[in-house]
Amino acid sequence: MERLEQILSEIAGRENVRENEPMKNHTTFRAGGAARLFVTPEDEDALVRLEKTCQSAGVSYTVVGNGSNLLVSDSGYDGVIIQLGSRFAHCRRDGDVLEAEAGILLSKLARFACDQGLSGLEFASGIPGSLGGAAVMNAGAYGGEMAHVLVDALVLTESGERMVIPAEQMELGYRSSLIMKRGYTVLKARVRLVPGDKRQIQDRMDELNRRRKEKQPLEYPSAGSTFKRPAGYFAGKLIQDCGLAGFQIGGAAVSEKHCGFVINKDQASARDIYLLCREIQKRVYDRFQVPMEMEVRLLGDFS
Ligand SMILES: Cc1cc2nc3c(=O)[nH]c(=O)nc-3n(C[C@H](O)[C@H](O)[C@H](O)COP(=O)(O)OP(=O)(O)OC[C@H]3O[C@@H](n4cnc5c(N)ncnc54)[C@H](O)[C@@H]3O)c2cc1C
């Protein structure tokens, strides 16, 4: 690892490579152990070289965005976490299309669209993820989803090839995509919007964010909806009907405000959160025979 750290530092700059970096500082759950190496590349070429280096060294690596859908195990991640953050946040307008780098926050992209008088991203303004994470997850809210606006994405394949995937070929499903299945890295994406009235766009974003504050436990760390919505049901309602509102394991709790959210109520470990999720799945299945799939992505060893 020492030798690898040296090579990664040469590629990304010493100041951009950290050893044993606590992932609780980079995930909205504010829990979990350390990444053996944590790298924040400054540009696309560095990112490409970082991935190639990890591959040839046979070291696991994972590209993350804002960590708003991630639970990292307490024992950490024995590999390299590559975070695309504010340095990958350039964005430009070309007619009704916005092209942006994967690290841009959806809130910023939605803000930019509004300032440009472009409508279509209002649904995304309160989702605390990056554009890359949103494309991978096909993030959505309040009737909108990335599939409705994405034109294409520039990705990096495992063999280090840059490839543009049109949205129609992305297999965008409910919180899933081809990019997720193949493990590609999103470098950039384009969204097509429609001209709209700035005031109306702003009002819609304000309204949706008001609804979020009212309904969601935003005062606690979480990763949003912990489970996917099972077909024909609402995850939060199933959990509530099992009498699990407020149910706690260690510092992790089922939010009383919105049972679909597992929250880090009091310095929860990743294990607390994980065990609580498993218990919820068990109780919901025992009572309603409905399997609940995690929406949150797990990184590291939870066995
Ligand atoms: C309070 C709160 C509210 C939320 N509300 C919503 C909501 O309304 N709707 C919704 O859909 N989600 C919601 N989420 C979940 C989350 O914000 C989204 O899933 C978001 O799209 C994740 O983006 P991210 O950049 O944080 O991804 P991360 O959490 O960093 O990563 C998520 C997954 O994507 C992968 N990934 C990230 N970036 C890239 C990239 N550039 N290339 C390849 N893979 C990548 C990671 O490896 C990981 O598997 C919410 C979360 C919170 C905390």
Side-chain angles (χ1 to χ4, degrees):
M1 273 289 179
E2 234 169 74
R3 174 80 189 118
L4 182 68
E5 184 178 357
Q6 201 184 333
I7 300 171
L8 299 188
S9 297
E10 279 158 22
I11 296 171
R14 181 159 298 283
E15 65 287 5
N16 297 323
V17 180
R18 283 179 246 170
E19 202 184 345
N20 294 324
E21 176 69 9
M23 285 305 290
K24 66 176 175 203
N25 297 344
H26 302 283
T27 56
T28 54
F29 254 136
R30 301 270 171 257
R36 191 78 185 274
L37 291 172
F38 182 85
V39 191
T40 46
E42 288 188 356
D43 56 41
E44 208 177 290
D45 285 338
L47 170 64
V48 174
R49 288 172 64 205
L50 286 171
E51 289 201 13
K52 270 196 188 135
T53 305
C54 292
Q55 282 168 2
S56 29
V59 172
S60 318
Y61 65 93
T62 299
V63 174
V64 304
N66 201 38
S68 63
N69 211 13
L70 272 189
L71 181 62
V72 181
S73 113
D74 294 316
S75 55
Y77 181 74
D78 191 19
V80 181
I81 299 265
I82 303 173
Q83 188 197 44
L84 303 189
S86 52
R87 288 164 176 141
F88 275 83
H90 299 106
C91 129
R92 65 181 190 94
R93 176 178 182 174
D94 180 8
D96 294 343
V97 171
L98 297 185
E99 181 184 76
E101 290 180 304
I104 194 169
L105 288 177
L106 288 177
S107 54
K108 289 216 170 127
L109 191 61
R111 170 85 266 138
F112 180 73
C114 176
D115 291 344
Q116 296 287 320
L118 289 173
S119 171
L121 271 181
E122 294 87 329
F123 78 90
S125 67
I127 301 177
S130 66
L131 176 62
V136 170
M137 300 294 305
N138 187 19
Y142 303 110
E145 59 179 18
M146 293 308 292
H148 298 165
V149 291
L150 273 172
V151 176
D152 52 28
L154 173 68
V155 302
L156 189 63
T157 67
E158 271 178 333
S159 57
E161 201 190 325
R162 284 180 177 85
M163 186 166 82
V164 174
I165 310 184
E168 312 81 71
Q169 290 171 25
M170 269 187 222
E171 298 177 14
L172 294 160
Y174 176 54
R175 304 293 173 263
S176 71
S177 67
L178 176 83
I179 302 174
M180 180 191 278
K181 283 176 217 154
R182 297 263 168 93
Y184 294 159
T185 297
V186 182
L187 301 171
K188 280 183 188 151
R190 297 197 301 158
V191 293
R192 184 180 300 285
L193 306 174
V194 289
D197 176 72
K198 282 188 198 180
R199 167 101 336 255
Q200 281 179 11
I201 297 169
Q202 184 64 59
D203 286 350
R204 175 77 178 148
M205 295 199 303
D206 290 347
E207 159 65 10
L208 296 183
N209 286 327
R210 211 170 16 250
R211 276 158 69 177
R212 271 183 194 275
K213 274 197 198 120
E214 217 175 85
K215 299 257 161 35
Q216 301 182 358
L218 301 183
E219 60 280 22
Y220 288 106
S222 78
S225 297
T226 315
F227 301 96
K228 292 187 181 183
R229 188 175 357 94
Y233 299 91
F234 289 103
K237 171 98 173 55
L238 290 169
I239 298 168
Q240 186 164 14
D241 290 349
C242 285
L244 289 171
F247 180 73
Q248 218 166 319
I249 292 185
V254 174
S255 163
E256 288 175 273
K257 194 168 174 186
H258 187 321
C259 287
F261 279 54
V262 165
I263 55 171
N264 181 349
K265 193 165 183 195
D266 185 16
Q267 299 184 39
S269 62
R271 182 128 200 100
D272 294 341
I273 295 170
Y274 177 78
L275 289 178
L276 179 57
C277 292
R278 286 283 169 266
E279 188 61 25
I280 293 168
Q281 286 171 317
K282 182 180 176 307
R283 297 223 195 163
V284 169
Y285 192 80
D286 287 350
R287 177 118 185 228
F288 299 110
Q289 289 73 57
V290 178
M292 297 242 290
E293 196 188 330
M294 297 271 290
E295 180 174 323
V296 173
R297 317 282 298 159
L298 302 177
L299 264 190
D301 182 13
F302 284 90
S303 55

